[in-house]
Amino acid sequence: MTAASSSSFFTLLAFVISALIFFLFRKSKSKTLNLPPGPPGWPVVGNLFQFARSGKPFFQYVDDLRKEYGPIFTLKMGTRNMIILSDAMLCHEALIERGALFASRPRENPTRNIFSCNKFTVNAAVYGPVWRSLRRNLVQNMLSSTRLKEFRTVREMAMDKLIARLSAEAEANNGVVWVLKNARFAVFCILLAMCFGIEMDEETVEKMDQTMKAVLIVLDPRIDDYLPILRPFFSKQRNRALQVRKEQVDYIVQFIEKRRQMIRNTGSDKAAMSFSYLDTLFDLKVEGRKSGPSNPELVSLCSEFLNGGTDTTGTAIEWGIARLIDNPDVQSKLYEEIKSTVGDRKVEEQDVEKMTYLQAVVKELLRKHPPTFFVLTHAVTEPTTLAGYDIPTDVNLEIYSPAISEDPKLWSNPEKFDPDRFVSGKEDADITGVKGVKMMPFGVGRRICPGLGMATVHVHLMLARMVQEFEWKAYPPNSPLDFTGKLEFTVVMKNPLRAMIKQRA
Ligand code: HEM
């Protein structure tokens, strides 16, 4: 290479490098996102420590911020950006009008990946073929109205057991009973029977419940989920999660294998039910896969079925009974409706459609006390905008639903528990959100809770039976109830409800 040619080579190189830097710079500038506003954060940690130092539960922290930053705002939680929506019109636009775009789920933290078997569950799967196959199976083969009817005797038995347990507990404790614990137990028994196709004795139900609770505890978010750089300091917690997963798989696989055997030798177990969720899963064809789910995958799918409906329904009943105690006139009106509809026989689930007041009580209950304040986290399938702001794919979209169901622009006296609002015809709400979003205890759009139908049967039936059998009063007598919520997996009553019950004449 001559001196002249080498100088022109280096000039060219300098030009190419400068052009590259210019274009890269331009590109990175054009990549600067216009995210919704939010509280200014600190470098690296964002708003993480501000939240921790506030001492508030997350829902309270969000509720306070939305008053300052409006219906769409950003929180930077370490490496995660969260965009929080709390407005009915925006939710309708995102989840209904542009539903497919907003129907995905974000990447999971490592612990969640262990328990969802790398997103092989309905709730965790990204919007795509795996999700479609799993959800279609759950909805069509388990939760359709025809399938639901097949499990009517299971529900009847669980309701009888619930009433017997409450009577026994009241007799042993001067008329005082725990509400959440008993309601949870009843619905858990129903879901277990539907899932595994066998009636379980109380000891097995308790063991299964402990296994599930241990999972929920290790799934609690940790700081290293938001700051992955800290992961090496959390190896003890990671090992604990792996151990809990192993215990969960070992325990539940026994029931899976038992059911496999029963199907192979039909009639071998007289107590076995003719149908179960597991039966639908054994040979499930999942788009893009050659074989059916593995045992660990079956464990994740069964756990989702049990977890999805237990605490949510139990929580609804706890708030429901608390509201009936606080509003004795509502309780009396409900009891009168039950008596006039069914006379002296037990309430059955087909009576519910004739009981308009019961339906109004349950709707008002789910408006005032959605069991989960945030629907499950959503993500977009491709970058888009909402309300003029950028929504990238790696953002967690959180929907804070009490802001909608208590929005004074949508409801008269939203703070008041008033089932009559739904009876008078003055107010109504489409719970699926299709005709407009006013409340969304089950989410809305493509990811709406597939258990909605079954859950509402459970809540109606359980409340009706509990009010038919007993009169409910405060404990200690005449004490005011505290309606403060506390975040566990769902938002439960801060002071778990104990109530006085008296058998109706
Ligand atoms: C009162 C009871 C219940 C409430 C309040 C409730 C609430 C919810 C909510 C808010 C979501 C998230 C929706 C979204 O991401 O936009 C959801 C999803 C889900 N629920 Fe429920 N749920 C209840 C009962 C049940 C039952 C009984 C089952 C099944 C046995 C169930 C299974 C699921 C599943 C699998 C998903 C994920 C759906 C998906 O991602 O496609 N839930 N539920």
Side-chain angles (χ1 to χ4, degrees):
M1 201 185 274
T2 64
S5 67
S6 88
S7 115
S8 52
F9 172 75
F10 282 113
T11 312
L12 187 69
L13 195 66
F15 176 76
V16 170
I17 290 173
S18 335
L20 212 65
I21 289 172
F22 173 76
F23 282 115
L24 277 178
F25 179 68
R26 246 182 39 147
K27 197 157 177 252
S28 74
K29 225 180 144 186
S30 74
K31 261 190 170 167
T32 312
L33 292 168
N34 175 29
L35 293 177
W42 298 350
V44 187
V45 294
N47 305 111
L48 204 54
F49 290 164
Q50 289 156 323
F51 159 60
R53 282 177 24 172
S54 76
K56 296 175 193 165
F58 187 64
F59 67 85
Q60 190 62 61
Y61 186 65
V62 164
D63 198 47
D64 292 345
L65 285 178
R66 79 183 171 87
K67 290 168 192 152
E68 198 175 332
Y69 292 98
I72 174 166
F73 69 92
T74 307
L75 275 180
K76 288 183 188 292
M77 303 297 254
T79 54
R80 282 271 167 158
N81 280 339
M82 282 181 183
I83 292 181
I84 291 156
L85 298 183
S86 57
D87 173 80
M89 301 282 274
L90 282 183
C91 286
H92 191 264
E93 179 184 341
L95 302 180
I96 303 279
E97 290 163 41
R98 299 161 67 201
L101 195 58
F102 285 80
S104 206
R105 299 287 189 214
R107 78 193 133 88
E108 298 263 33
N109 67 47
T111 320
R112 287 195 169 270
N113 268 333
I114 296 171
F115 286 92
S116 70
C117 254
N118 294 318
K119 288 181 162 286
F120 193 76
T121 54
V122 181
N123 77 86
V126 297
Y127 188 58
V130 169
W131 172 75
R132 245 187 303 277
S133 304
L134 295 177
R135 180 160 172 133
R136 194 186 306 125
N137 174 61
L138 175 63
V139 170
Q140 291 179 355
N141 297 329
M142 258 342 257
L143 301 175
S144 68
S145 49
T146 338
R147 274 287 180 226
L148 273 185
K149 284 197 190 108
E150 288 182 30
F151 291 100
R152 201 159 70 195
T153 34
V154 173
R155 286 187 286 274
E156 261 170 35
M157 275 160 65
M159 291 304 119
D160 289 346
K161 208 177 330 169
L162 168 69
I163 299 303
R165 274 171 70 104
L166 287 168
S167 295
E169 194 172 315
E171 207 165 297
N173 296 293
N174 300 320
V176 183
V177 295
W178 292 102
V179 177
L180 178 62
K181 188 186 75 170
N182 283 299
R184 261 191 99 256
F185 187 87
V187 73
F188 195 49
C189 288
I190 299 174
L191 296 174
L192 280 171
M194 291 178 77
C195 187
F196 297 106
I198 43 167
E199 275 290 319
M200 290 181 182
D201 59 46
E202 283 205 12
E203 206 181 309
T204 317
V205 176
E206 290 291 355
K207 176 83 177 77
M208 196 62 99
D209 194 24
Q210 279 162 18
T211 314
M212 295 294 158
K213 276 191 181 141
V215 173
L216 289 182
I217 291 168
V218 292
L219 282 177
D220 242 9
R222 294 193 313 251
I223 184 117
D224 58 319
D225 296 334
Y226 302 100
L227 295 172
I229 197 167
L230 299 180
R231 256 178 217 152
F233 301 101
F234 284 82
S235 57
K236 208 168 117 202
Q237 285 81 350
R238 188 172 159 77
N239 289 340
R240 170 75 190 139
L242 289 170
Q243 184 199 341
V244 170
R245 173 64 179 171
K246 186 177 176 312
E247 284 165 11
Q248 182 201 29
V249 171
D250 289 349
Y251 188 61
I252 294 182
V253 161
Q254 298 172 56
F255 297 94
I256 294 176
E257 288 306 333
K258 222 169 162 177
R259 184 71 194 176
R260 247 194 255 274
Q261 284 302 322
M262 281 177 202
I263 294 178
R264 280 193 201 121
N265 315 314
T266 338
S268 61
D269 187 334
K270 296 280 169 282
M273 274 175 277
S274 60
F275 189 73
S276 79
Y277 185 38
L278 266 178
D279 306 5
T280 72
L281 294 171
F282 282 137
D283 300 313
L284 182 67
K285 301 260 173 305
V286 175
E287 269 182 75
R289 281 172 150 236
K290 288 203 180 70
S291 50
S294 65
N295 272 354
E297 285 170 342
L298 291 174
V299 169
S300 294
L301 288 163
C302 290
S303 306
E304 162 179 65
F305 187 82
L306 303 173
N307 281 335
T310 304
D311 288 294
T312 43
T313 311
T315 304
I317 298 295
E318 182 180 50
W319 289 109
I321 293 291
R323 286 294 174 186
L324 294 181
I325 292 173
D326 201 46
N327 296 273
D329 49 329
V330 174
Q331 188 175 164
S332 308
K333 216 165 146 182
L334 183 56
Y335 180 59
E336 288 310 316
E337 184 183 65
I338 297 169
K339 250 188 9 190
S340 68
T341 313
V342 307
D344 290 334
R345 70 168 167 80
K346 275 189 286 194
V347 186
E348 289 168 10
E349 56 193 63
Q350 57 275 31
D351 300 318
V352 169
E353 64 191 70
K354 288 173 245 149
M355 295 172 30
T356 45
Y357 194 64
L358 171 65
Q359 289 168 28
V361 169
V362 170
K363 203 161 193 182
E364 180 65 344
L365 158 67
L366 293 171
R367 181 190 72 82
K368 266 305 279 172
H369 302 287
T372 61
F373 277 15
F374 293 92
V375 310
L376 297 176
T377 309
H378 282 243
V380 288
T381 51
E382 54 186 73
T384 185
T385 57
L386 186 67
Y389 299 110
D390 286 321
I391 313 285
T393 50
D394 61 350
V395 133
N396 285 21
L397 270 171
E398 305 289 353
I399 292 140
Y400 177 65
S401 74
I404 296 169
S405 52
E406 296 218 27
D407 185 346
K409 294 197 291 304
L410 302 173
W411 299 95
S412 59
N413 293 328
E415 67 297 334
K416 189 170 175 219
F417 178 81
D418 177 18
D420 279 320
R421 69 172 77 243
F422 292 119
V423 180
S424 63
K426 275 193 282 177
E427 294 192 88
D428 205 359
D430 168 15
I431 215 164
T432 67
V434 177
K435 295 187 213 140
V437 173
K438 283 181 78 179
M439 57 191 278
M440 44 189 294
F442 297 96
V444 297
R446 296 184 191 223
R447 289 283 187 161
I448 193 170
C449 175
L452 187 156
M454 177 160 77
T456 43
V457 169
H458 290 164
V459 176
H460 283 110
L461 189 59
M462 221 184 297
L463 268 189
R465 282 293 302 272
M466 288 164 91
V467 169
Q468 183 181 36
E469 295 285 339
F470 308 110
E471 189 184 355
W472 293 81
K473 287 199 170 152
Y475 176 78
N478 303 317
S479 57
L481 289 179
D482 179 356
F483 283 92
T484 315
K486 179 178 81 174
L487 183 65
E488 287 193 348
F489 170 58
T490 50
V491 180
V492 291
M493 293 181 77
K494 187 173 145 213
N495 305 316
L497 182 63
R498 294 184 85 187
M500 302 274 298
I501 56 172
K502 201 169 99 200
Q503 191 83 42
R504 304 242 186 217

